[in-house]
Amino acid sequence: PSFGLPHNIAIRNAWSGRLIMSFLTFLSIAGAIKQYSDADNASSQMREAGEKNAQLAELETQERLRRSRYQYNQEQGQRVVSYAKAGVDIGSGSSMAVMAEAATVAEREMAFTAEQGKRTAAARRAGASAQADSMSSQGESLLISNIGKIGNENNWWGKIT
Protein backbone atom coordinates (compact mmCIF):
# COMPACT_ATOMS: atom_id res chain seq x y z
CA PRO A 1 0.00 0.00 0.00
CA SER A 2 2.92 2.43 0.37
CA PHE A 3 3.38 2.23 -3.39
CA GLY A 4 -0.19 3.38 -4.10
CA LEU A 5 0.18 7.07 -3.34
CA PRO A 6 3.09 7.88 -5.68
CA HIS A 7 1.59 5.63 -8.34
CA ASN A 8 -1.79 7.41 -8.11
CA ILE A 9 -0.05 10.80 -8.35
CA ALA A 10 1.87 9.63 -11.40
CA ILE A 11 -1.32 8.40 -13.07
CA ARG A 12 -3.13 11.62 -12.18
CA ASN A 13 -0.23 13.72 -13.55
CA ALA A 14 -0.12 11.65 -16.74
CA TRP A 15 -3.90 11.95 -17.17
CA SER A 16 -3.74 15.70 -16.49
CA GLY A 17 -0.89 16.09 -19.00
CA ARG A 18 -2.87 14.21 -21.69
CA LEU A 19 -5.95 16.30 -20.95
CA ILE A 20 -3.99 19.53 -21.30
CA MET A 21 -2.31 18.18 -24.44
CA SER A 22 -5.70 17.19 -25.90
CA PHE A 23 -7.14 20.61 -25.10
CA LEU A 24 -4.15 22.37 -26.69
CA THR A 25 -4.47 20.10 -29.72
CA PHE A 26 -8.17 20.96 -29.93
CA LEU A 27 -7.33 24.69 -29.76
CA SER A 28 -4.71 24.27 -32.48
CA ILE A 29 -7.21 22.49 -34.73
CA ALA A 30 -9.87 25.12 -33.99
CA GLY A 31 -7.34 27.85 -34.86
CA ALA A 32 -6.47 26.15 -38.15
CA ILE A 33 -10.14 25.81 -39.05
CA LYS A 34 -10.73 29.48 -38.14
CA GLN A 35 -7.88 30.56 -40.43
CA TYR A 36 -9.37 28.46 -43.24
CA SER A 37 -12.81 29.94 -42.59
CA ASP A 38 -11.42 33.48 -42.57
CA ALA A 39 -9.65 32.87 -45.89
CA ASP A 40 -12.85 31.41 -47.34
CA ASN A 41 -14.84 34.46 -46.18
CA ALA A 42 -12.22 36.82 -47.63
CA SER A 43 -12.45 34.90 -50.90
CA SER A 44 -16.22 35.35 -51.01
CA GLN A 45 -15.90 39.04 -50.22
CA MET A 46 -13.34 39.46 -53.02
CA ARG A 47 -15.72 37.86 -55.50
CA GLU A 48 -18.57 40.09 -54.30
CA ALA A 49 -16.40 43.22 -54.54
CA GLY A 50 -15.32 42.22 -58.04
CA GLU A 51 -18.92 41.76 -59.12
CA LYS A 52 -19.88 45.15 -57.69
CA ASN A 53 -16.92 46.78 -59.47
CA ALA A 54 -17.97 45.12 -62.71
CA GLN A 55 -21.55 46.33 -62.27
CA LEU A 56 -20.22 49.82 -61.61
CA ALA A 57 -18.24 49.67 -64.86
CA GLU A 58 -21.43 48.67 -66.69
CA LEU A 59 -23.35 51.55 -65.14
CA GLU A 60 -20.58 54.01 -66.00
CA THR A 61 -20.66 52.75 -69.58
CA GLN A 62 -24.43 53.17 -69.81
CA GLU A 63 -24.08 56.74 -68.54
CA ARG A 64 -21.31 57.53 -71.06
CA LEU A 65 -23.50 56.15 -73.84
CA ARG A 66 -26.48 58.20 -72.67
CA ARG A 67 -24.35 61.36 -72.65
CA SER A 68 -22.91 60.55 -76.09
CA ARG A 69 -26.39 60.11 -77.56
CA TYR A 70 -27.54 63.34 -75.96
CA GLN A 71 -24.52 65.22 -77.32
CA TYR A 72 -25.03 63.73 -80.79
CA ASN A 73 -28.70 64.72 -80.78
CA GLN A 74 -27.78 68.25 -79.67
CA GLU A 75 -25.16 68.55 -82.42
CA GLN A 76 -27.53 67.22 -85.07
CA GLY A 77 -30.17 69.68 -83.90
CA GLN A 78 -27.66 72.53 -84.17
CA ARG A 79 -26.79 71.42 -87.73
CA VAL A 80 -30.45 71.46 -88.74
CA VAL A 81 -30.95 74.92 -87.23
CA SER A 82 -27.77 76.24 -88.86
CA TYR A 83 -28.77 74.87 -92.25
CA ALA A 84 -32.26 76.31 -91.91
CA LYS A 85 -30.90 79.75 -90.94
CA ALA A 86 -28.55 79.69 -93.89
CA GLY A 87 -31.37 78.72 -96.23
CA VAL A 88 -29.78 75.36 -97.10
CA ASP A 89 -32.21 72.63 -98.14
CA ILE A 90 -31.82 69.97 -95.42
CA GLY A 91 -32.82 67.30 -97.94
CA SER A 92 -29.98 68.25 -100.29
CA GLY A 93 -27.15 65.82 -100.91
CA SER A 94 -24.33 67.66 -99.15
CA SER A 95 -26.24 68.49 -95.97
CA MET A 96 -27.55 64.92 -95.76
CA ALA A 97 -24.03 63.58 -96.30
CA VAL A 98 -22.67 65.70 -93.44
CA MET A 99 -25.47 64.57 -91.12
CA ALA A 100 -25.05 60.92 -92.16
CA GLU A 101 -21.29 61.10 -91.55
CA ALA A 102 -21.87 62.62 -88.11
CA ALA A 103 -24.31 59.81 -87.32
CA THR A 104 -21.79 57.18 -88.45
CA VAL A 105 -19.03 58.69 -86.33
CA ALA A 106 -21.32 58.91 -83.29
CA GLU A 107 -22.44 55.29 -83.71
CA ARG A 108 -18.82 54.13 -84.02
CA GLU A 109 -17.85 56.03 -80.86
CA MET A 110 -20.82 54.59 -78.95
CA ALA A 111 -20.03 51.05 -80.14
CA PHE A 112 -16.42 51.50 -78.99
CA THR A 113 -17.59 52.82 -75.61
CA ALA A 114 -19.98 49.88 -75.19
CA GLU A 115 -17.25 47.34 -76.05
CA GLN A 116 -14.78 49.06 -73.76
CA GLY A 117 -17.34 48.91 -70.92
CA LYS A 118 -17.96 45.19 -71.49
CA ARG A 119 -14.24 44.46 -71.44
CA THR A 120 -13.66 46.56 -68.34
CA ALA A 121 -16.44 44.74 -66.49
CA ALA A 122 -15.12 41.34 -67.62
CA ALA A 123 -11.59 42.26 -66.53
CA ARG A 124 -12.82 43.37 -63.11
CA ARG A 125 -14.72 40.11 -62.66
CA ALA A 126 -11.76 38.02 -63.80
CA GLY A 127 -9.33 39.91 -61.57
CA ALA A 128 -11.51 39.50 -58.52
CA SER A 129 -12.06 35.83 -59.31
CA ALA A 130 -8.31 35.23 -59.60
CA GLN A 131 -7.67 36.97 -56.28
CA ALA A 132 -10.50 35.01 -54.64
CA ASP A 133 -9.15 31.72 -56.00
CA SER A 134 -5.69 32.59 -54.67
CA MET A 135 -7.09 33.46 -51.24
CA SER A 136 -9.10 30.23 -51.16
CA SER A 137 -6.03 28.21 -52.13
CA GLN A 138 -3.97 29.89 -49.42
CA GLY A 139 -6.64 29.01 -46.87
CA GLU A 140 -6.68 25.37 -47.94
CA SER A 141 -2.88 25.16 -47.90
CA LEU A 142 -2.78 26.73 -44.45
CA LEU A 143 -5.36 24.26 -43.12
CA ILE A 144 -3.50 21.25 -44.53
CA SER A 145 -0.16 22.54 -43.26
CA ASN A 146 -1.47 23.26 -39.77
CA ILE A 147 -3.24 19.92 -39.43
CA GLY A 148 -0.06 18.19 -40.63
CA LYS A 149 2.00 20.08 -38.07
CA ILE A 150 -0.46 19.23 -35.28
CA GLY A 151 -0.43 15.59 -36.37
CA ASN A 152 3.36 15.49 -36.29
CA GLU A 153 3.47 17.14 -32.87
CA ASN A 154 0.97 14.58 -31.52
CA ASN A 155 2.49 11.59 -33.31
CA TRP A 156 -0.74 10.85 -35.21
CA TRP A 157 1.10 9.42 -38.17
CA GLY A 158 3.52 7.22 -36.24
CA LYS A 159 7.23 7.42 -36.81
CA ILE A 160 7.94 8.67 -40.33
CA THR A 161 11.45 8.05 -41.58
Side-chain angles (χ1 to χ4, degrees):
S2 63
F3 298 104
L5 186 59
H7 180 68
N8 286 339
I9 292 172
I11 290 173
R12 207 172 321 141
N13 286 342
W15 175 253
S16 176
R18 284 189 190 136
L19 186 60
I20 290 172
M21 183 82 118
S22 295
F23 183 69
L24 292 177
T25 302
F26 169 78
L27 289 178
S28 296
I29 292 170
I33 292 170
K34 174 77 168 102
Q35 287 177 328
Y36 170 78
S37 176
D38 289 348
D40 192 46
N41 287 339
S43 171
S44 295
Q45 290 172 355
M46 285 177 177
R47 286 186 203 285
E48 186 177 332
E51 180 57 31
K52 287 181 179 180
N53 280 331
Q55 289 172 358
L56 179 61
E58 291 167 345
L59 286 172
E60 289 169 345
T61 299
Q62 290 172 2
E63 181 59 20
R64 281 196 302 274
L65 289 171
R66 188 191 66 74
R67 288 180 184 181
S68 291
R69 280 189 194 96
Y70 178 79
Q71 182 179 353
Y72 164 74
N73 289 335
Q74 291 295 313
E75 290 170 358
Q76 284 293 70
Q78 286 293 335
R79 281 187 197 89
V80 170
V81 169
S82 295
Y83 291 150
K85 281 184 181 178
V88 175
D89 179 13
I90 296 173
S92 73
S94 62
S95 61
M96 288 300 277
V98 169
M99 291 175 72
E101 177 65 21
T104 301
V105 169
E107 285 301 317
R108 243 187 260 135
E109 287 176 5
M110 286 186 267
F112 175 79
T113 299
E115 183 62 27
Q116 184 181 32
K118 286 179 192 173
R119 290 182 183 202
T120 298
R124 287 181 182 180
R125 283 185 179 99
S129 181
Q131 286 180 332
D133 289 346
S134 175
M135 179 60 71
S136 182
S137 178
Q138 287 174 14
E140 290 169 2
S141 295
L142 199 57
L143 179 64
I144 292 167
S145 173
N146 284 337
I147 295 298
K149 180 181 173 197
I150 294 165
N152 285 339
E153 290 170 355
N154 290 285
N155 200 25
W156 290 348
W157 329 120
K159 187 171 183 177
I160 299 174
T161 57

